[in-house]
């Protein structure tokens, strides 16, 4: 067998991680979102999928309408710049291909429960035995050592258990806890996984030592949630008041103007003073309850009520021009459909339209981080299931008889 294949792209990757080799057995959102970041930054990402059952491959292939039957909208957004091969690790020939990839990989990335990986002979110790320097990244639901460690985890469950969903109840939304209408836990933890992988690779660069990296969803998202919301329980003894006062206030929301809504956040003392002057209430800032940051925080409900009253006196465009002139932070309220037409996003080239051989025309999102010397780029459309079987399997073992039309 010949080791890691030389992957062929119609457009050359240019990102800062070019040359990094990743075997990706992750599925759904969290893992693919993390490996999307690596792929955009130029890493070789080989996505390993199963080919069993009616809905083979990553389940997100089949979520939503698809021009091909296996390129659903979320999958399309998360899996560009990757190669796809289908392997069944329970079959000896397929596992041999996977083992050969792992021998030469820098990173093995997956979100399969470790008990299952152990049954496949792909736990950390087994993979380390064939590649001692590998960085083995496991995105787990819950960390080892706790009573939840055997459980499955999904975005809703992590929002529920981390205290995040309770913030909506504390704010008074519908009088009950709610889930954020976004896969915020999956995507946040995906970024934790990117950070963890890069940190482990930096350690390996310095020492030559690989390692096992566990990224537990529950712990990572609870850490993310509690940074500001530990609040009154930060110091011991605590006062029992949890959640940052400003962020859970029911009046923290876009403010109605004469013709729409606006987001505005005066922050410094000078900005507050100027805002009240512009709103025709020049004396407000001198009131003791608003004169300092500490007092404004204590009286945040009254402060938000004043902002709402003032915001309603002008149109959105009038406010945006006036606040921009006086350097007070403000933004137009966009509905999600408006984001597609946002002028700033259009001017910076945020959106990209592409046309793939099998997928047809589609809209995608350019990598948002800019690197002056090694820019991230889009160099390949998301692959159909097993699209790269021949390229990868034949490169590893030319004796493979792979259907070239797969």
């Amino acid at each position: 067998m010949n080791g890691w294949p030389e992957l062929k792209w119609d457009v050359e990757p240019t990102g800062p991680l070019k040359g990094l080799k990743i075997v990706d057995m992750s599925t759904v959102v969290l893992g693919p979102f993390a490996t999307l970041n690596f792929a955009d930054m130029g890493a070789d990402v080989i996505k390993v999928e199963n080919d069993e059952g009616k809905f083979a491959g990553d389940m997100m292939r089949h979520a939503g309408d698809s021009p091909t039957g296996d390129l659903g909208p979320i999958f399309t957004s998360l899996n560009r710049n990757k190669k796809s091969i289908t392997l069944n690790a329970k079959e000896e020939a397929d596992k041999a291909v996977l083992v050969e990839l792992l021998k030469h990989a820098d990173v093995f990335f997956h979100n399969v429960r470790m008990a299952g990986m152990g049954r496949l002979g792909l736990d950390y110790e087994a993979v380390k035995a064939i590649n001692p320097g590998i960085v083995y990244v496991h995105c787990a639901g819950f960390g080892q050592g706790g009573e939840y460690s055997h459980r499955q985890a999904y975005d809703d469950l992590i929002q529920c258990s981390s205290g995040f969903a309770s913030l909506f109840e504390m704010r008074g939304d519908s009088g009950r806890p709610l889930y954020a209408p976004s896969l915020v836990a999956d995507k946040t933890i995906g970024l934790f996984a990117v950070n963890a992988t890069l940190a482990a690779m930096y350690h390996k660069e310095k020492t030559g030592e690989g390692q096992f990296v566990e990224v537990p969803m529950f712990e990572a998202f609870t850490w993310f949630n509690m940074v500001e919301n530990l609040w009154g329980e930060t110091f011991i003894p605590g006062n029992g008041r949890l959640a940052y006062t400003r962020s859970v206030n029911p009046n923290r929301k876009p403010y109605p103007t004469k013709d729409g809504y606006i987001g505005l956040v005066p922050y410094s003392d000078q900005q507050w003073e100027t805002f009240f002057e512009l709103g025709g209430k020049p004396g407000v800032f001198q009131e003791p309850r608003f004169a300092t940051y500490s007092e404004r925080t204590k009286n945040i409900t009254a402060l938000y009520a004043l902002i709402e009253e003032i915001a309603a006196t002008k149109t959105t465009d009038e406010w945006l021009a006036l606040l921009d002139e006086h350097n007070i932070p403000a933004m137009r309220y966009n509905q999600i459909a408006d984001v597609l037409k946002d002028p700033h996003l259009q001017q910076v080239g945020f959106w990209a339209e592409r046309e793939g051989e099998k997928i047809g025309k589609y809209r995608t999102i350019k990598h948002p981080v800019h690197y002056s010397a090694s820019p991230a780029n889009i160099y390949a459309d998301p692959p159909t299931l097993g699209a790269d079987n021949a390229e990868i399997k034949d490169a590893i073992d030319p004796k493979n008889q792979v259907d070239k039309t797969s």
Side-chain angles (χ1 to χ4, degrees):
M1 289 194 172
N2 297 330
W4 191 266
E6 184 178 347
L7 302 183
K8 298 177 179 65
W9 307 100
D10 292 335
V11 175
E12 190 69 15
T14 57
L17 297 182
K18 186 175 180 179
L20 186 69
K21 303 176 183 68
I22 299 177
V23 174
D24 176 17
M25 282 185 66
S26 69
T27 59
V28 193
V29 172
L30 188 165
F33 183 62
T35 56
L36 169 67
N37 278 268
F38 295 126
D40 278 5
M41 291 188 281
D44 281 359
V45 177
I46 296 180
K47 184 176 180 70
V48 178
E49 302 181 76
N50 72 76
D51 59 358
E52 297 178 317
K54 182 179 179 182
F55 298 110
D58 187 330
M59 66 183 296
M60 283 294 109
R61 285 186 175 278
H62 313 287
D65 294 335
S66 163
T68 65
D70 69 348
L71 290 174
I74 296 175
F75 182 91
T76 293
S77 292
L78 292 175
N79 289 282
R80 65 176 180 227
N81 295 345
K82 302 176 185 179
K83 298 285 188 178
S84 168
I85 62 169
T86 53
L87 295 174
N88 182 350
K90 297 175 184 177
E91 300 291 336
E92 184 178 342
D94 279 3
K95 186 172 181 180
V97 173
L98 180 55
V99 166
E100 188 65 16
L101 289 173
L102 291 171
K103 280 182 183 177
H104 302 276
D106 298 302
V107 178
F108 182 31
F109 193 103
H110 72 83
N111 58 352
V112 182
R113 284 189 288 176
M114 288 305 296
M117 296 303 280
R119 289 191 293 270
L120 292 172
L122 293 170
D123 57 9
Y124 175 59
E125 292 301 325
V127 174
K128 181 183 177 182
I130 63 172
N131 182 351
I134 199 158
V135 170
Y136 186 113
V137 182
H138 175 223
C139 295
F142 306 90
Q144 296 301 308
E147 63 181 82
Y148 308 151
S149 59
H150 66 287
R151 295 185 181 180
Q152 297 182 68
Y154 295 95
D155 189 284
D156 289 4
L157 303 182
I158 298 303
Q159 288 196 43
C160 181
S161 59
S162 66
F164 188 80
S166 78
L167 297 175
F168 297 90
E169 181 182 20
M170 294 178 74
R171 197 172 65 180
D173 294 356
S174 304
R176 55 168 292 176
L178 299 170
Y179 295 134
S182 170
L183 301 181
V184 62
D186 276 347
K187 292 181 288 186
T188 300
I189 299 156
L191 294 177
F192 270 94
V194 172
N195 179 63
T197 305
L198 293 176
M201 286 303 303
Y202 180 66
H203 174 80
K204 181 179 176 180
E205 182 72 19
K206 290 191 301 180
T207 67
E209 180 182 39
Q211 62 182 299
F212 176 73
V213 178
E214 180 184 72
V215 183
M217 293 178 69
F218 180 47
E219 290 93 317
F221 196 68
T222 303
W223 188 92
F224 171 84
N225 181 40
M226 295 299 283
V227 166
E228 80 276 25
N229 290 319
L230 192 56
W231 196 237
E233 286 295 309
T234 300
F235 304 108
I236 300 172
N239 60 18
R241 292 193 290 272
L242 289 158
Y244 179 29
T245 308
R246 189 178 78 85
S247 61
V248 295
N249 189 282
N251 295 307
R252 181 187 177 236
K253 53 192 174 184
Y255 299 104
T257 63
K258 275 187 175 181
D259 62 348
Y261 290 88
I262 191 172
L264 58 92
V265 185
Y267 218 78
S268 71
D269 289 355
Q270 182 59 57
Q271 287 171 351
W272 277 113
E273 189 165 10
T274 302
F275 173 72
F276 285 128
E277 290 173 356
L278 294 173
K281 294 183 178 292
V284 168
F285 193 71
Q286 279 68 50
E287 293 184 31
R289 59 183 179 154
F290 303 134
T292 67
Y293 182 85
S294 176
E295 289 302 312
R296 289 195 293 273
T297 301
K298 291 177 185 177
N299 295 283
I300 196 69
T301 299
L303 184 62
Y304 281 146
L306 271 174
I307 297 173
E308 184 163 352
E309 178 185 335
I310 293 170
T313 63
K314 304 181 191 300
T315 68
T316 299
D317 284 342
E318 287 171 341
W319 271 124
L320 288 172
L322 194 59
L323 296 172
D324 192 38
E325 178 186 348
H326 289 86
N327 197 33
I328 296 174
M331 286 296 290
R332 184 183 304 277
Y333 163 73
N334 277 336
Q335 292 189 330
I336 196 164
D338 298 328
V339 177
L340 298 178
K341 307 186 296 282
D342 184 275
H344 175 88
L345 294 178
Q346 290 180 342
Q347 290 155 14
V348 300
F350 181 80
W351 302 106
E353 290 188 7
R354 293 178 60 87
E355 185 169 2
E357 180 182 349
K358 295 185 178 181
I359 194 174
K361 291 184 178 180
Y362 67 101
R363 180 184 287 112
T364 191
I365 307 164
K366 290 186 178 179
H367 193 78
V369 179
H370 299 279
Y371 302 88
S372 63
S374 54
N377 67 330
I378 301 174
Y379 46 91
D381 301 310
T384 54
L385 181 63
D388 306 294
N389 280 354
E391 176 186 350
I392 296 171
K393 291 182 179 181
D394 282 1
I396 290 174
D397 186 353
K399 292 182 293 184
N400 272 311
Q401 298 299 311
V402 180
D403 180 2
K404 298 299 191 281
T405 64
S406 65

